[in-house]
Structure formats: C-alpha cells, structure tokens
Amino acid sequence: PTAWQPMRAQDGWMVRVRPHCAALSAAQWRVLADLALAHAHPQIELTRLGNVQLRGVGESALETVRARLIAARLVPEDADADLAPAVHCTPLYAPGDATHALARALSLAAVQCLSPRALARQGLAALPSKFGLLVDDPARRMQATGADLQLWVAQDQGHGLALGDSSDWYCFAHAHDAVEAAVQVALWFAADVAALAPAPTRLRGLLSHARPQLPGLQGAQRRAAGAAPAQALAPGLHSAHGWVIGTPLGRVDAAAMSQLAAQLPPQAEIRVTPWRSLLLPADAMAAHIDGLDAAQWITAPADARLKVSACTGAPRCAQGHVAAQTLALALAQQLPPHTHLHVSGCAKFCALGPDASALLFAAADEAAAARLHLCRAEQRSAGPAPISWPASSDAPANIKKLLHDLYL
C-alpha cells in the first residue's frame, strides 16, 4: 500500500508512508500521530523495510488523511511518484555523506525512470508493488532485508550493487554508474518478466531463468561475497549514530509519539530503522530519555519484548485465529535465552523476520477448529508442527518448558 493506493484490510484502510532517506522530522511525526489519533487506530506501525503506516483508516477519511500527508511533505503530491518503486535507506549516515548522496540519487532515478508513467512511455508495465531498491550502510546491516537491488558505499569507497539474493556483487568507481546500472537491471526485469508464466514479482524469480547482459554491468568489477553483515543496532546509545529506541512489536503509540515529538525541535530528525525501531539525535534526546514511558518505549537491549514479534492477528485480520500481538507480549518474559519467538495468527507468517528462531502459529484442524502450533523457524515448511494444543484455551503454563523442549 501507499498513500495514493491504500490497501483494504479487515479493520479499514492501510495507508503507508515511505520516509525519504529513512528520515522524518519531529513536526512530521506529530502530523502522523495526530492522524492516527483522529482517523485510524491509535498506533503508527513500523515495518521491517523502514516504512511507517496508519491502519484502520475509515474510507470517508482517506482524502483528508492524504491531503494532510501531502501538506506535511510526507508523501508526494504526484501519485505517479508515490507509486514508483520504493527506495529503502539505512538510517546510518551523516547528512551529505556518500551514503546519503547515493540514496538521494537512487530515489530521484526511481521516480524519473521507473515510475508507472516513465515505464509506460517505454511500452512497459509498472513494476510489481513488492519490487524494491535499497541503499545500505558500508557494513551492510540490511543485507537480509531482501530488496531486489541493493546498493551501498563499499569500505574502499567504491559503490556496490547486488542483484536479488546473489552473494556476489558488482563494484563501481562512481555512484552515478551504480545507479545507472541498477536502473538498467530494473528495466530489464520489467521488459523480460512478462514472458514467464506465472510472471515472478521479484528479481530473483527472473534471475533463476536468465542473467542480465547490460552495458551498465559490463565495466563493473565482479566481486565475491564479503564478510558477514554487521549486527543490527539494539536499543541504547550508540556514540557514532545516536539513541536507538524500540517499541513493543514495532507499534508506536500515537499519543506517546506526539508527546515525544513535541519535546524536540520541529526539524529534529527521527529516523526509522529496519529493525522496527527509531534513531534519534543523541544531543536532542539527552534531556528526555529518562522520562520516556517504559510501557511504550524500549531503551535497553535486554528488554524481553525484543525477543518477540507478531503479525496483526485477530480481530483486525480476517485470517487471524488468535490475538497474535497480545499472545506474543504475554509470552515475552517466558522465553529461554537466545530465542526469538514470532507469533502468527495463521500459517501465512506475515511480518516474519530473519531473526525468528521459533514460531507459534494458529491453523485450523480437520474439524475446522483453530489449534496453536509451535516449531522451530526452519521447520515451518517441513510438515506438521511437533507441538500443538487447542487455540481456544489459554497459552499453557508450561510454555517455557515447551520452548526449551523445542531445542533439545
């Protein structure tokens, strides 16, 4: 979903905002909070791709919400620009540095060359809505995000481009060459994907059939996979970047955000991370970090709520058999060390991230009764889960033992 093309859900319309270069000002966050409190559920959702979204917007309020978002420069005034492929960006950059410049150049190219209108001028259909581009930090902390085209400033100051899930990558001397090559690959995908049935929606689906032979790639140096990606930034103060603060299950309480944003200068940047948390300037937060409501914000890396994630679940999702978010938070304190539990209201595993090691999900049995199933993350496609019980009952008191048994 976007602001110009919202998505209908069980509980209303979903309206998504894609922060430019991962950053929104405190004033813009106040607008989002006001809209959530007035026209949607009183939460602002953070996604694993660094987007923010309002959920439960009433149909009669859609035009009002969009107009407020445009006025606050949260979404483009032009629908075509809003429907261009998303360019997700690391929050770990300094204004004006090479990573920031690369993200700005790629964002501009996506609108000018890859929007539905630009593609139509070349006789091409719009790219699938899931097709995305990404600008990572030099340590490639977002490598597991799964964007179709990943670009970054390499440690040697070259510019990297990785295609789909490929472990190898192309290295360019200049940013504009990397951006041009990325655009050429996206155009190649748009032109060639229609020949496949069913047509894949992601670049990796086309790469399994063919490799692009494009001018923009010919002069680049091909490199093998490098070191493993650096770890995500946990909540806390990071001297090189600022304060990272998390939120339970990636949901920001709108009233709490309004209060926080009001305490900061209107132009202070609050960046969105791919770990469903926020990055704030250390100097702006110094006087406020101790006063944050611990029920709404996570400021310590040992907080048990960081060990769980969940989909929307019942009652807001029609396919959810259980209240996944409530169940996840209830189980957070009972998890064994080094375990991350993802709770899903059905077997689709929406919002499942790469850090999940255990899955608790609901599914209907032969009698159409909902049952909860527990398994390791790598077992989800290997047949029936080894542990299950009726979903209508409370979570068993020995859930901790069951989770430990899962790893025996």
Coordinates of all heavy atoms in Angstrom, one line a residue, residues 38-73:
A38 N -6.9 10.7 15.2 CA -8.2 11.2 14.7 C -8.9 10.3 13.7 O -10.1 10.3 13.7 CB -7.9 12.6 14.1
H39 N -8.1 9.5 12.9 CA -8.7 8.8 11.8 C -8.3 7.4 11.7 O -8.8 6.7 10.7 CB -8.3 9.6 10.5 CG -8.7 11.0 10.4 ND1 -10.1 11.4 10.4 CD2 -8.0 12.1 10.4 CE1 -10.1 12.7 10.4 NE2 -8.9 13.2 10.4
A40 N -7.5 6.8 12.6 CA -7.1 5.4 12.4 C -6.9 4.8 13.8 O -7.4 5.4 14.8 CB -5.7 5.4 11.7
H41 N -6.3 3.6 13.8 CA -6.0 3.0 15.1 C -4.9 3.9 15.8 O -4.1 4.5 15.1 CB -5.5 1.6 15.0 CG -6.5 0.7 14.4 ND1 -7.8 0.6 14.9 CD2 -6.4 -0.3 13.4 CE1 -8.5 -0.3 14.2 NE2 -7.7 -0.9 13.3
P42 N -4.9 4.0 17.1 CA -4.0 5.0 17.7 C -2.6 4.4 17.8 O -1.9 4.6 18.9 CB -4.6 5.2 19.1 CG -5.3 3.9 19.4 CD -5.9 3.4 18.0
Q43 N -2.1 3.8 16.8 CA -0.7 3.3 16.7 C -0.2 3.7 15.3 O -0.9 3.7 14.3 CB -0.7 1.8 16.9 CG -1.0 1.3 18.3 CD -1.0 -0.2 18.4 OE1 -1.3 -0.9 17.4 NE2 -0.6 -0.7 19.5
I44 N 1.1 3.8 15.3 CA 1.8 4.0 14.0 C 2.7 2.8 13.9 O 3.6 2.5 14.7 CB 2.7 5.3 14.0 CG1 1.8 6.5 14.3 CG2 3.4 5.4 12.6 CD1 2.6 7.8 14.5
E45 N 2.5 2.0 12.8 CA 3.3 0.8 12.6 C 4.6 1.0 11.9 O 4.6 1.7 10.9 CB 2.4 -0.3 11.9 CG 1.2 -0.7 12.6 CD 0.4 -1.8 11.9 OE1 0.8 -2.1 10.7 OE2 -0.5 -2.3 12.5
L46 N 5.6 0.4 12.4 CA 7.0 0.4 11.7 C 7.1 -0.9 11.0 O 6.9 -2.0 11.6 CB 8.1 0.6 12.8 CG 7.9 1.8 13.7 CD1 9.1 1.8 14.7 CD2 7.9 3.1 13.0
T47 N 7.6 -0.9 9.8 CA 7.8 -2.1 9.0 C 9.2 -2.5 9.0 O 10.1 -1.7 9.3 CB 7.2 -2.0 7.6 OG1 8.2 -1.3 6.8 CG2 5.9 -1.3 7.6
R48 N 9.5 -3.7 8.6 CA 10.9 -4.2 8.5 C 11.7 -3.5 7.4 O 12.9 -3.7 7.2 CB 10.9 -5.7 8.4 CG 10.4 -6.4 9.7 CD 10.7 -7.9 9.7 NE 10.2 -8.5 10.9 CZ 10.8 -8.6 12.0 NH1 12.1 -8.0 12.1 NH2 10.3 -9.1 13.1
L49 N 11.0 -2.8 6.5 CA 11.6 -2.1 5.4 C 11.8 -0.7 5.7 O 12.2 0.1 4.8 CB 10.8 -2.3 4.1 CG 10.9 -3.7 3.5 CD1 9.9 -3.9 2.3 CD2 12.3 -4.1 3.1
G50 N 11.5 -0.3 6.9 CA 11.7 1.1 7.3 C 10.5 2.0 6.9 O 10.7 3.3 6.8
N51 N 9.4 1.5 6.6 CA 8.2 2.3 6.3 C 7.4 2.5 7.6 O 7.6 1.8 8.6 CB 7.3 1.6 5.3 CG 8.0 1.3 3.9 OD1 8.7 2.2 3.4 ND2 7.8 0.1 3.4
V52 N 6.5 3.5 7.5 CA 5.6 3.7 8.6 C 4.2 3.7 8.0 O 3.9 4.1 6.9 CB 5.8 5.0 9.3 CG1 7.2 5.0 10.0 CG2 5.7 6.2 8.4
Q53 N 3.2 3.2 8.8 CA 1.9 3.1 8.2 C 0.8 3.3 9.3 O 1.0 3.0 10.5 CB 1.7 1.8 7.5 CG 1.8 0.5 8.4 CD 1.9 -0.7 7.5 OE1 2.4 -0.7 6.4 NE2 1.6 -1.8 8.1
L54 N -0.3 3.9 8.8 CA -1.5 4.0 9.6 C -2.5 2.9 9.2 O -2.6 2.5 8.0 CB -2.2 5.3 9.3 CG -1.4 6.6 9.5 CD1 -2.2 7.8 9.1 CD2 -0.9 6.7 11.0
R55 N -3.1 2.3 10.2 CA -4.0 1.2 10.0 C -5.4 1.5 10.5 O -5.5 2.2 11.5 CB -3.5 -0.1 10.6 CG -4.1 -1.4 10.2 CD -3.6 -2.6 10.9 NE -4.2 -3.8 10.4 CZ -3.7 -4.6 9.5 NH1 -2.5 -4.4 9.0 NH2 -4.4 -5.6 9.1
G56 N -6.4 1.0 9.8 CA -7.8 1.2 10.3 C -8.3 2.6 9.9 O -9.3 3.1 10.6
V57 N -7.8 3.2 8.8 CA -8.4 4.4 8.4 C -9.7 4.2 7.7 O -9.9 3.3 6.9 CB -7.4 5.1 7.3 CG1 -8.0 6.4 6.8 CG2 -6.0 5.3 8.0
G58 N -10.7 5.0 8.1 CA -12.0 4.9 7.6 C -12.1 5.4 6.1 O -11.3 6.3 5.8
E59 N -12.9 4.9 5.3 CA -13.0 5.2 3.9 C -13.3 6.7 3.7 O -12.8 7.4 2.9 CB -14.0 4.4 3.2 CG -14.0 4.6 1.7 CD -14.6 3.5 0.9 OE1 -15.1 2.5 1.5 OE2 -14.6 3.5 -0.3
S60 N -14.2 7.2 4.6 CA -14.5 8.7 4.5 C -13.4 9.6 4.8 O -13.4 10.8 4.5 CB -15.8 8.9 5.4 OG -15.4 8.7 6.7
A61 N -12.4 9.1 5.5 CA -11.3 9.9 6.0 C -10.1 9.8 5.0 O -9.1 10.5 5.2 CB -10.8 9.5 7.4
L62 N -10.1 9.0 4.0 CA -8.9 8.8 3.2 C -8.5 10.1 2.5 O -7.3 10.4 2.5 CB -9.2 7.7 2.1 CG -9.2 6.3 2.5 CD1 -9.6 5.3 1.4 CD2 -7.8 5.9 3.0
E63 N -9.4 10.8 2.0 CA -9.0 12.1 1.3 C -8.4 13.1 2.3 O -7.4 13.7 2.0 CB -10.2 12.7 0.6 CG -10.7 11.9 -0.6 CD -9.6 11.8 -1.8 OE1 -8.8 12.8 -1.8 OE2 -9.7 10.9 -2.5
T64 N -8.9 13.1 3.4 CA -8.4 14.0 4.5 C -7.0 13.6 4.9 O -6.1 14.5 5.0 CB -9.4 14.1 5.7 OG1 -10.6 14.5 5.3 CG2 -8.8 14.9 6.8
V65 N -6.8 12.3 5.1 CA -5.5 11.8 5.5 C -4.5 12.1 4.5 O -3.4 12.6 4.7 CB -5.6 10.3 5.9 CG1 -4.2 9.7 6.0 CG2 -6.4 10.1 7.1
R66 N -4.8 11.8 3.2 CA -3.9 12.0 2.1 C -3.5 13.5 2.0 O -2.3 13.9 1.8 CB -4.4 11.5 0.8 CG -3.4 11.6 -0.3 CD -4.0 11.2 -1.7 NE -4.5 9.9 -1.7 CZ -5.7 9.5 -1.9 NH1 -6.6 10.4 -2.2 NH2 -6.1 8.2 -1.9
A67 N -4.5 14.4 2.1 CA -4.2 15.8 2.0 C -3.3 16.3 3.1 O -2.4 17.1 2.9 CB -5.6 16.6 2.0
R68 N -3.5 15.8 4.3 CA -2.6 16.2 5.4 C -1.2 15.7 5.2 O -0.2 16.3 5.5 CB -3.2 15.6 6.8 CG -4.4 16.4 7.3 CD -4.1 17.7 7.9 NE -3.0 17.7 8.9 CZ -3.2 17.3 10.2 NH1 -4.4 17.0 10.6 NH2 -2.2 17.4 11.0
L69 N -1.1 14.5 4.7 CA 0.2 13.9 4.4 C 1.0 14.7 3.3 O 2.2 14.9 3.5 CB 0.1 12.4 4.0 CG -0.4 11.4 5.1 CD1 -0.6 10.1 4.5 CD2 0.5 11.4 6.3
I70 N 0.2 15.1 2.3 CA 0.9 15.9 1.3 C 1.3 17.2 1.8 O 2.4 17.7 1.5 CB -0.1 16.0 0.1 CG1 -0.3 14.7 -0.6 CG2 0.4 17.0 -0.9 CD1 -1.4 14.7 -1.7
A71 N 0.4 17.9 2.6 CA 0.8 19.2 3.1 C 2.0 19.1 4.0 O 2.8 20.1 4.1 CB -0.4 19.7 3.9
A72 N 2.2 18.0 4.7 CA 3.3 17.9 5.6 C 4.5 17.3 4.9 O 5.6 17.1 5.5 CB 3.0 16.9 6.7
R73 N 4.4 17.2 3.6 CA 5.5 16.6 2.7 C 5.9 15.2 3.1 O 7.1 14.9 3.1 CB 6.7 17.6 2.7 CG 6.3 19.0 2.3 CD 7.6 19.9 2.2 NE 8.4 19.5 1.1 CZ 9.6 20.1 0.8 NH1 9.9 21.2 1.5 NH2 10.3 19.7 -0.2

